[in-house]
């Protein structure tokens, strides 16, 4: 049984901050920033591609509720939502989880994005492959 299933089953303790019949939200054991929270489905789904539309919707709704709790309790209004899906993406716990990362002034976290425009011909080819 995976570590998050054990948390759901109360075999491992957690600091629970939100719960619905199908989802659970608790503080991440390693707080990347203050209030770093994980939202999980109670049922074991391995990753993003394993989710059903119904549970995806419930996770999204729970995520929104947790951000509002963090806003009310901690006063945070800036967040990153992050899901690592698959080992290449850095997923370590094989039970879907959405990271909610409150952001603070000068918190030292950086998600650098390339700002160089893509080759338009390549981008069009990619678009045609994906969208048509
Ligand atoms: P991943 O790298 O899979 O996206 O993130 C896994 C997250 O789960 C990490 O941020 C890690 O700190 C957290 N985590 C792992 N084990 C436990 C645990 O037993 N309890 C809690 N609360 N968080 C955990
Ligand atoms: Zn699990």
């Amino acid at each position: 049984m995976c570590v998050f299933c054990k948390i759901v089953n109360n075999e491992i303790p957690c600091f629970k901050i939100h719960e619905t019949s199908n989802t659970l939200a608790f503080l991440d054991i390693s707080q990347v920033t203050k209030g770093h929270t994980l939202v999980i489905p109670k049922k074991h789904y391995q990753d993003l591609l394993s989710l059903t539309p119904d549970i995806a919707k419930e996770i999204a709704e729970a995520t929104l509720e947790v951000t509002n709790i963090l806003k009310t309790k901690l006063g945070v209004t800036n967040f990153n939502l992050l899901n690592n899906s698959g080992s290449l993406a850095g997923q370590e716990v094989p039970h879907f989880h959405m990271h909610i990362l409150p952001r603070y002034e000068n918190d030292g976290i950086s998600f650098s994005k390339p700002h160089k425009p893509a080759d338009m011909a390549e981008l069009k080819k990619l678009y045609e492959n994906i969208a048509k």
Side-chain angles (χ1 to χ4, degrees):
M1 189 186 289
C2 92
V3 65
F4 289 171
C5 282
K6 286 183 179 162
I7 286 176
V8 171
N9 286 346
N10 292 314
E11 290 174 34
I12 295 179
C14 74
F15 291 110
K16 185 190 300 184
I17 61 173
H18 184 264
E19 184 171 17
T20 67
S21 48
N22 294 319
T23 69
L24 185 65
F26 52 89
L27 294 175
D28 194 299
I29 196 112
S30 54
Q31 293 278 286
V32 172
T33 60
K34 189 171 102 181
H36 179 187
T37 300
L38 302 175
V39 181
I40 68 167
K42 288 183 177 173
K43 193 174 148 195
H44 183 94
Y45 294 90
Q46 181 165 317
D47 57 18
L48 184 60
L49 290 172
S50 314
L51 298 181
T52 63
D54 281 347
I55 193 65
K57 198 171 153 200
E58 291 189 50
I59 291 163
E61 285 169 352
T63 299
L64 182 59
E65 286 186 31
V66 171
T67 57
N68 276 305
I69 291 168
L70 295 172
K71 179 183 171 218
T72 304
K73 302 289 185 170
L74 301 180
V76 278
T77 53
N78 291 245
F79 300 92
N80 289 112
L81 301 181
L82 178 70
N83 166 247
N84 299 321
S85 189
S87 56
L88 294 180
Q91 182 175 7
E92 288 178 355
V93 176
H95 181 133
F96 178 93
H97 49 283
M98 181 70 81
H99 293 262
I100 301 177
L101 215 55
R103 297 303 304 272
Y104 302 91
E105 195 86 38
N106 301 318
D107 63 13
I109 311 290
S110 156
F111 296 101
S112 57
K113 296 188 218 77
H115 286 292
K116 190 165 117 320
D119 177 292
M120 281 303 137
E122 287 297 320
L123 198 59
K124 182 163 183 280
K125 226 163 55 180
L126 178 65
Y127 162 73
E128 284 169 355
N129 187 23
I130 294 170
K132 298 199 171 166

